[in-house]
Amino acid sequence: MKLTLYPLSTEMPPVRPADPRRQWMDDTPESFAYRCLPLALANQHGWEVTTPVGFTATWNGGNLPEDVKIEFDTPPAQNLTGAPLANFGSGVLTFELHFLLRTPPGWNIFVTGPMNGIKHGIAPLSGVIETDWSPYTFTMNWRFTAPDCPVRFEAGEAVAHFFPVRRDLFEKFEPALDHLNRDPKAYEQFMQWRDSRQDFAKRLSEHEADAVEEKWQKTYYRGLRPDGSAGVKDHKIKLRAKPFEKPSR
């Protein structure tokens, strides 16, 4: 399947495969946050747009667009993808995305802020766009969470994250509640995992040498069931979103 990006300016939009690194995860002891595979994979789950300019933005708590002040390190050029502006009011900071995305029939684009990204004083807003037919551009928006709290964005920092989702995704699923013990195999595997987790936590708390050396249980990370058998053949520990290539002339 093809995901096509149409630039609407002379500059190539600053779009790249999502960066797997997060500063706060780097800063955890021994970078242990990356041991959480669901977190690490979410970081890489799609593509991101970066801002080409460094700036500081502050909201004074008012509802007018001019209640957001943006101080640029260097004034950006016009129609520059990823450049910020304040045009909605209500404490919203907007990033213009000067491109169109086109997905295959039945596929939308989910756009949000950097996955597991944390920024004091502001939070990303998420949206879903029908990009298999829409000729309209969209914006990435953040909302300040506190007045008079300056927020800093560095040049090259990710301000948007997007990936395709099926439009009929939720119609295809039938949510159901059931008792785990009605699935004997799943119940047995869960109990094995629970017992091994409790045992490992006990050995770790008692500073048992093997547990201390192991540090954390890696069965899910390795795609293994509690008994050591393989889970699924297509288990992922890393995603490799392809970059958008320039068209051949």
Side-chain angles (χ1 to χ4, degrees):
M1 293 189 294
K2 183 176 285 189
L3 174 61
T4 305
L5 186 151
Y6 298 105
L8 300 178
S9 63
T10 56
E11 299 290 333
M12 181 65 183
V15 179
R16 67 190 183 195
D19 191 336
R21 310 298 299 186
R22 297 291 181 270
Q23 187 61 55
W24 73 265
M25 296 175 73
D26 291 341
D27 293 341
T28 54
E30 301 182 52
S31 299
F32 74 81
Y34 292 105
R35 300 173 190 171
C36 179
L37 186 57
L39 279 180
L41 286 183
N43 291 355
Q44 309 166 52
H45 200 262
W47 294 264
E48 59 190 17
V49 184
T50 63
T51 181
V53 292
F55 66 93
T56 300
T58 309
W59 174 52
N60 66 14
N63 286 322
L64 299 177
E66 54 264 34
D67 290 320
V68 172
K69 301 299 182 185
I70 303 173
E71 299 177 357
F72 293 101
D73 297 352
T74 303
Q78 288 187 335
N79 298 326
L80 200 59
T81 290
L85 60 121
N87 61 344
F88 286 138
S90 298
V92 173
L93 180 69
T94 297
F95 293 90
E96 290 280 7
L97 306 181
H98 293 285
F99 57 77
L100 287 177
L101 287 172
R102 183 64 77 233
T103 45
W107 286 83
N108 296 339
I109 285 291
F110 189 104
V111 59
T112 187
M115 295 294 192
N116 301 312
I118 299 171
K119 232 169 167 54
H120 180 65
I122 199 168
L125 305 179
S126 303
V128 178
I129 304 99
E130 295 183 355
T131 44
D132 56 345
W133 69 269
S134 171
Y136 313 118
T137 60
F138 57 92
T139 59
M140 176 62 207
N141 298 288
W142 296 60
R143 191 179 188 282
F144 289 90
T145 59
D148 303 317
C149 179
V151 175
R152 176 71 188 170
F153 285 85
E154 301 294 344
E157 181 175 342
V159 296
H161 183 119
F162 65 87
F163 54 88
V165 291
R166 285 285 307 182
R167 185 150 64 243
D168 61 356
L169 176 66
F170 299 105
E171 287 84 354
K172 287 183 174 294
F173 283 92
E174 291 292 337
L177 287 172
D178 207 341
H179 297 286
L180 182 57
N181 57 14
R182 287 163 60 101
D183 185 335
K185 188 174 182 179
Y187 178 78
E188 179 185 5
Q189 292 172 350
F190 168 75
M191 295 300 291
Q192 286 178 348
W193 168 79
R194 190 185 71 170
D195 292 343
S196 70
R197 186 179 182 90
Q198 291 175 343
D199 177 67
F200 182 80
K202 181 175 181 294
R203 292 188 292 115
L204 194 62
S205 68
E206 295 173 350
H207 304 289
E208 183 182 305
D210 289 346
V212 172
E213 183 178 357
E214 189 175 355
K215 298 182 180 179
W216 54 292
Q217 291 182 293
K218 305 176 179 69
T219 48
Y220 178 75
Y221 191 93
R222 293 169 175 165
L224 302 177
R225 294 188 173 92
D227 62 4
S229 62
V232 292
K233 293 181 179 179
D234 58 350
H235 172 70
K236 299 285 189 182
I237 60 172
K238 183 181 291 186
L239 299 178
R240 295 180 174 86
K242 299 176 183 178
F244 286 89
E245 301 290 350
K246 293 182 179 180
S248 57
R249 295 184 180 278

